[in-house]
């Protein structure tokens, strides 16, 4: 074949076996019909407090089509707490914080995992399920923490701090996880650090999560300069203003926030722990100092609580939409591929975390 003829051939990368194993199916009809209305009425009930009736006819045909296609593909949808309410409540099979999603990824017997979250979460699912097809509806959904550190940085830190164990946040690439001794998430950070039984631990790459862990333990923490672009935007002044406006307000914050912000909070925890706080303690009025969709999702299950919503959106999480999830299941893309040698080493770090009895 001439070089020019070769260029006109469709490019099918060897690393994308999935469309061959699961041929594309026809795009389902996306009309709003009485049948669609009836089939999705029970799901609209879950989101009626956050999605106005006039918007539902745009979402419902996608919801029905995605739920039907999940059965055809034997697929499961794992959705992070920051996904929008129509994804979180109407098409997800499993919802949760990063730790819960990683744990559930080890349990599924579906052939296909569709990760509604950001790329490192999908990579974690692939690392734990090397034989399954893992899809992310938009592979550009990144994370400022995951891009803040490289595998070479971790090797250099090990050279500078010989013998100090390395715990990396799950918000990292597979290559970085492969260099670590163990992973941690905001839901288990302190317990993971203490499980290493070392006077010093490197906690990478989130400087603020590292500072928060240091405030909760006697272990000396060595950190990196990464930060979450969403949580570092909150300020202590903004939180004081909420408190001045209503001294009874309960302030809940994610540990990716800077320390002066956490100092104003009544409770700090992972996204799942913040949600549990509201569902169990039922505060009258709350502000969730974290990504914006969290409040919408918790609100749907806590109608008696009033929410003040500081709207800091994660632009990466918001790349995932119902139309992209449907496209993903129709065309089986974007498939997440991790180099098997890297995946094997990264898996050891993730499994050490998942298997800890905490
Ligand atoms: P959680 O593990 O608390 O869900 O946090 C993940 C994340 O990306 C927060 O920004
Ligand atoms: Fe990453 Fe921050 Fe977005 Fe979470 S909220 S995915 S840490 S950029």
């Amino acid at each position: 074949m001439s070089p020019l003829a070769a260029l006109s051939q469709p490019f099918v990368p060897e690393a994308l076996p999935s469309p061959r194993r699961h041929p594309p199916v026809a795009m389902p009809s996306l009309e709003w019909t009485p049948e669609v209305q009836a089939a999705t009425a029970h799901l609209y009930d879950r989101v009626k407090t956050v999605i106005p009736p006039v918007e539902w006819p745009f979402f419902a045909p996608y919801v029905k089509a995605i739920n039907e296609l999940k059965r055809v593909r034997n697929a499961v949808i794992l959705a992070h707490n920051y996904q929008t309410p129509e994804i979180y409540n109407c098409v997800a099979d499993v919802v949760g914080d990063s730790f819960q999603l990683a744990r559930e990824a080890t349990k599924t017997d579906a052939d296909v995992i569709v990760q509604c979250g950001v790329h490192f979460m999908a990579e974690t699912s692939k690392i734990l399920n090397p034989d399954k097809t893992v899809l992310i509806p938009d592979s550009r959904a990144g994370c400022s923490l995951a891009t803040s550190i490289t595998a070479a940085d971790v090797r250099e830190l090990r050279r500078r701090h010989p013998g100090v164990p390395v715990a990396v946040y799950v918000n990292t690439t597979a290559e970085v996880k492969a260099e670590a001794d163990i992973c941690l998430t905001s839901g288990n950070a302190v317990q993971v650090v203490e499980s290493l039984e070392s006077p010093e631990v490197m906690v990478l790459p989130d400087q603020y999560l590292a500072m928060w862990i240091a405030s909760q333990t006697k272990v000396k923490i060595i950190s990196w300069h990464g930060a979450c672009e969403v949580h570092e935007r909150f300020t202590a002044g903004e939180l004081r203003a909420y408190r001045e406006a209503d001294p009874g307000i309960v302030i809940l914050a994610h540990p990716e926030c800077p320390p002066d912000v956490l100092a104003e909070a009544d409770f700090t925890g992972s996204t799942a722990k913040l949600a549990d706080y509201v569902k169990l303690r039922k505060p009258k009025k709350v502000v969730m100092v974290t990504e914006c969709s969290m409040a919408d999702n918790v609100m749907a299950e806590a109608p008696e609580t009033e929410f003040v919503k500081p709207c800091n959106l994660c632009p990466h999480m918001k790349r995932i939409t119902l139309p992209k999830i449907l496209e993903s299941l129709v065309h089986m893309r974007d498939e997440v591929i991790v180099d098997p040698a890297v995946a094997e080493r990264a898996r050891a770090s993730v499994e050490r975390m998942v298997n800890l009895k905490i």
Side-chain angles (χ1 to χ4, degrees), residues 120-295:
F120 75 81
M121 296 177 178
E123 263 192 352
T124 307
S125 290
K126 182 65 186 178
I127 289 165
L128 294 170
N129 293 281
D131 299 329
K132 292 191 195 298
T133 299
V134 176
L135 305 175
I136 181 159
D138 188 331
S139 57
R140 296 167 303 167
C143 170
S144 65
L145 282 168
T147 52
S148 73
I149 192 162
T150 65
D153 294 327
V154 182
R155 287 193 292 270
E156 172 58 20
L157 284 163
R158 278 206 193 269
R159 201 189 56 74
R160 278 194 235 155
H161 303 280
V164 177
V166 175
V168 300
Y169 200 19
V170 74
N171 300 36
T172 47
T173 60
E175 287 77 11
V176 166
K177 289 184 177 79
E179 298 294 332
D181 295 298
I182 193 164
C183 283
L184 55 76
T185 72
S186 51
N188 59 17
V190 178
Q191 292 94 323
V192 168
V193 164
E194 292 183 344
S195 77
L196 294 168
E197 297 182 354
S198 166
E200 273 184 295
V201 172
M202 280 186 258
V203 173
L204 314 173
D206 185 354
Q207 56 183 304
Y208 298 130
L209 178 68
M211 285 179 204
W212 178 71
I213 297 169
S215 74
Q216 309 289 308
T217 178
K218 292 195 170 67
V219 179
K220 181 173 173 227
I221 305 294
I222 298 168
S223 65
W224 184 247
H225 50 68
C228 161
E229 67 188 79
V230 178
H231 291 88
E232 72 175 347
R233 289 208 308 266
F234 290 105
T235 65
E238 170 185 1
L239 268 54
R240 280 195 295 273
Y242 291 128
R243 187 97 65 200
E244 274 157 31
D246 182 351
I249 197 165
V250 173
I251 300 180
L252 307 179
H254 194 276
E256 289 170 12
C257 296
D260 59 333
V261 171
L262 297 183
E264 301 293 334
D266 297 300
F267 178 75
T268 297
S270 72
T271 55
K273 288 186 178 164
L274 302 187
D276 286 348
Y277 186 106
V278 178
K279 287 182 227 161
L280 297 173
R281 302 220 201 165
K282 303 186 193 317
K284 257 180 77 186
K285 192 170 181 180
V286 85
V287 54
M288 298 189 108
V289 187
T290 188
E291 210 267 352
C292 191
S293 291
M294 254 307 278

Side-chain angles (χ1 to χ4, degrees), residues 324-345:
K324 287 189 198 165
I325 299 170
L326 182 59
E327 290 262 335
S328 179
L329 282 164
V330 167
H331 300 289
M332 298 302 285
R333 65 177 190 229
D334 294 335
E335 185 170 8
V336 178
I337 307 286
V338 183
D339 175 329
V342 172
E344 194 183 325
R345 292 168 60 218

